[in-house]
């Protein structure tokens, strides 16, 4: 499983897609882009197991996302 937190932006197309993927539960292709100097990208297939949004008072929206990885992860070339 891949678990990560995001600064949740309700109008962001990627965030909307993650929610839609969580509701359907189908396998999709994803990429995880690292913030290293070479912006390494890891590719994998999986399904969104959980998308849990939080909307605290006086703080940015956040969400906890869990993706169940199916198969192998392709590291950057």
């Amino acid at each position: 499983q891949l678990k990560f937190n995001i600064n949740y932006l309700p109008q962001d197309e990627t965030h909307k897609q993650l929610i839609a993927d969580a509701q359907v539960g189908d396998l999709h292709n994803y990429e995880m882009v690292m913030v290293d100097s070479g912006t390494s990208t890891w590719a994998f297939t999986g399904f969104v197991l959980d998308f849990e949004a939080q909307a605290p008072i006086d703080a940015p929206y956040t969400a906890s996302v869990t993706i169940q990885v199916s198969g192998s992860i392709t590291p950057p070339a």
Side-chain angles (χ1 to χ4, degrees):
Q1 289 183 350
L2 175 63
K3 297 179 181 186
F4 55 94
N5 296 318
I6 61 173
N7 291 325
Y8 175 46
L9 304 171
Q11 299 306 315
D12 182 271
E13 292 303 319
T14 300
H15 297 178
K16 287 181 185 180
Q17 188 62 54
L18 283 170
I19 293 169
D21 291 352
Q23 292 170 337
V24 175
D26 292 341
L27 288 174
H28 292 277
N29 295 323
Y30 295 99
E31 291 182 339
M32 181 171 54
V33 180
M34 304 297 191
V35 294
D36 59 2
S37 61
T39 57
S40 303
T41 300
W42 297 69
F44 58 93
T45 300
F47 62 91
V48 179
L49 192 59
D50 188 39
F51 186 101
E52 184 178 329
Q54 295 93 30
I57 297 173
D58 296 330
Y61 290 169
T62 60
S64 174
V65 182
T66 304
I67 296 178
Q68 180 64 51
V69 177
S70 175
S72 60
I73 297 175
T74 305

